[in-house]
Amino acid sequence: MNAPQKTQAEQLYQAARDLVPNLRAREKETAALGQLPDATIAAMQEAGFFRIMQPARYGGFELDPEVFFKVQMTLAEGCMSTAWVLGVVAIHNWQLALFDDRAQQDVWGEDDSTLISSSYMPVGKVEHVDGGYKLSGHWGFSSGSKHCDWAFLGAMVPPKNPGEAPDYRTFLVPRSDYEIVENWNVSGLEGTGSHDITVKDAFVPEYRTHRSVDGFECNSPGNAVNDHYIFRLPFGQIFVRAVSSSSIGCLKGVIDSYVQVNKERVGLNDGNKVAQDPDARMALAECIAAVDECQTIMFRNFDRMVEAARNGVALEIEDRIKMRFDAALVSRKCTDAINLMFNACGAQGIFRDHPLNRAWLDINAGRQHVANNPFKFGRNVGAVMMGANNEDFFL
């Protein structure tokens, strides 16, 4: 990181740290609303968090992913729902930079603070029409959707000619062309407001789509106008960390609470001090180790990705496969750690006002995201190492 970036990065880190007490104070309000309070979105906008990886041509900072994810993890110490929404929505500002510049103009031409939600599940029905496509469908889990004016929606484009393969794309759709189905009634990450989205026969011009293969090859239409190296990073490697890394910050944020709760607590059943229980001690050690391990591996991988992008060198596919597995392991490691700590807190942990209860719910909810299931990606690592073909291109 060069000196000018470091100065701006430190300002962003401090702004994130300063916001944490307010996020903790709004925790109950956020869960009750089922979405982030407007004040939280406004504070993140004012701090510039959504602009960290946005192109400079539209008011962005074009900073390395390490800066963005450090900010996200810091916010997660106060509220994982807030960090989750920032992770997903702000990364869209980076992905929009990969689209044709006409799409960027459509979203940011009048207001470069406009936000985009998403649902990448490939459930859309697509028809070829003149100049683009007709899109319909029903998508789930669009985090932060009530705060956004556009949406990225996933769909498979059917081949025009027999024998050709379907083409997975992200479709950029304005708020006027979709409906938000308010059905977010969950027991973890309540504040993400991850409602469903429906579209009926919306026209999407060709330039408002982004091909998955372009993101995989790190050669997208937007590179013609956004030439900073961060826009040559693999799309799959960036997005998946937006839904895993908040678990690291959330886990880190409850370490002190765990110590405070259990340091002097006496078990009601046996009268023994919990602090003398070897399992309670080990749970704390496992938590600290999980945070350290996940952060270290993530930043190491970002260093390698950024170095390759800066030098115009393609990462080896085996490296990308392993890095994808590393990202998927984060949520499982954090879930295992928070569950050990939760168990060590005894029956009191199930009460909603217990200091660990919110983290336990949120981290376990985050584990359910499809990108955070490590088994598919781990099997792919092992298969490729033993001579099989790679089966994952969201890398």
Side-chain angles (χ1 to χ4, degrees):
M1 184 185 301
N2 58 40
Q5 281 188 323
K6 184 175 182 179
T7 300
Q8 189 172 32
E10 291 300 330
Q11 293 173 349
L12 290 162
Y13 300 151
Q14 187 60 54
R17 178 61 54 199
D18 291 344
L19 189 55
V20 167
N22 290 336
L23 298 182
R24 286 176 175 159
R26 295 181 191 137
E27 181 180 84
K28 291 182 179 179
E29 176 191 4
T30 300
L33 283 173
Q35 65 183 49
L36 300 191
D38 290 341
T40 297
I41 292 290
M44 292 195 292
Q45 287 275 32
E46 182 178 358
F49 297 155
F50 292 102
R51 298 183 183 274
I52 296 175
M53 294 183 69
Q54 186 171 346
R57 297 169 58 250
Y58 295 101
F61 304 152
E62 294 187 347
L63 297 179
D64 288 353
E66 177 180 339
V67 178
F68 176 75
F69 287 99
K70 280 186 177 180
V71 167
Q72 185 197 24
M73 288 188 292
T74 299
L75 296 180
E77 294 181 36
C79 174
M80 184 168 163
S81 283
T82 298
W84 183 282
V85 170
L86 176 72
V88 172
V89 173
I91 284 300
H92 297 153
N93 289 359
W94 172 80
Q95 188 191 2
L96 183 58
L98 308 183
F99 278 67
D100 186 292
D101 189 47
R102 289 171 290 177
Q104 299 171 53
Q105 279 284 346
D106 287 349
V107 177
W108 290 325
E110 295 183 2
D111 181 2
D112 58 23
S113 68
T114 300
L115 302 178
I116 307 165
S117 69
S118 72
S119 178
Y120 293 99
M121 55 178 64
V123 296
K125 178 183 177 182
V126 179
E127 297 179 37
H128 292 274
V129 296
D130 288 343
Y133 309 93
K134 185 166 67 174
L135 179 69
S136 298
H138 187 137
W139 291 261
F141 301 98
S142 186
S143 300
S145 50
K146 298 296 286 291
H147 298 290
C148 299
D149 294 319
W150 291 75
F152 283 149
L153 301 174
M156 300 296 294
V157 176
K160 284 186 175 182
N161 303 309
E164 293 179 348
D167 183 17
Y168 177 82
R169 299 195 185 202
T170 301
F171 289 74
L172 173 64
V173 181
R175 182 69 181 80
S176 57
D177 285 352
Y178 62 85
E179 298 291 332
I180 296 176
V181 180
E182 298 186 21
N183 62 345
W184 191 242
N185 183 21
V186 293
S187 58
L189 294 175
E190 294 103 309
T192 62
S194 303
H195 301 293
D196 286 7
I197 284 181
T198 61
V199 175
K200 184 176 181 181
D201 295 335
F203 171 69
V204 182
E206 173 79 27
Y207 73 82
R208 278 203 222 136
T209 70
H210 181 232
R211 302 179 69 218
S212 178
V213 67
D214 291 340
F216 175 78
E217 293 177 350
C218 305
N219 187 21
S220 297
N223 293 133
V225 290
N226 299 314
D227 58 1
H228 195 280
Y229 60 80
I230 65 168
F231 304 116
R232 294 282 185 180
L233 295 169
F235 172 69
Q237 298 291 345
I238 298 298
F239 179 78
V240 295
R241 286 165 173 81
V243 295
S244 67
S245 302
S246 57
S247 294
I248 305 172
C250 185
L251 185 63
K252 182 180 179 182
V254 296
I255 290 175
D256 289 344
S257 296
Y258 176 86
V259 172
Q260 206 168 29
V261 166
N262 289 313
K263 193 172 184 179
E264 302 297 334
R265 187 169 72 86
V266 175
L268 297 178
N269 186 50
D270 58 14
N272 293 326
K273 290 190 69 173
V274 175
Q276 296 176 349
D277 182 347
D279 291 337
R281 293 173 175 177
M282 190 62 183
L284 177 58
E286 293 273 12
C287 174
I288 295 169
V291 169
D292 188 33
E293 178 185 358
C294 290
Q295 286 183 328
T296 299
I297 292 175
M298 180 174 67
F299 293 143
R300 179 202 68 190
N301 287 347
F302 278 142
D303 285 345
R304 294 171 64 190
M305 282 187 262
V306 167
E307 181 181 10
R310 288 178 70 119
N311 294 325
V313 176
L315 287 167
E316 295 292 334
I317 189 65
E318 291 81 7
D319 291 335
R320 290 170 70 167
I321 292 168
K322 175 58 168 59
M323 288 177 181
R324 178 66 191 87
F325 182 46
D326 290 339
L329 280 174
V330 166
S331 191
R332 187 180 75 173
K333 289 178 182 294
C334 292
T335 301
D336 289 348
I338 193 66
N339 287 345
L340 288 173
M341 295 175 73
F342 180 78
N343 290 337
C345 290
Q348 295 300 314
I350 67 174
F351 286 90
R352 290 191 179 274
D353 60 354
H354 190 276
L356 266 71
N357 184 267
R358 169 55 48 200
W360 176 65
L361 289 169
D362 288 348
I363 291 175
N364 275 277
R367 169 66 177 79
Q368 302 310 309
H369 193 287
V370 64
N372 291 334
N373 184 342
F375 298 104
K376 172 184 176 182
F377 311 109
R379 289 193 295 267
N380 193 41
V381 171
V384 170
M385 288 184 68
M386 291 189 284
N389 292 327
N390 171 46
E391 295 182 351
D392 183 16
F393 292 94
F394 196 68
L395 300 171

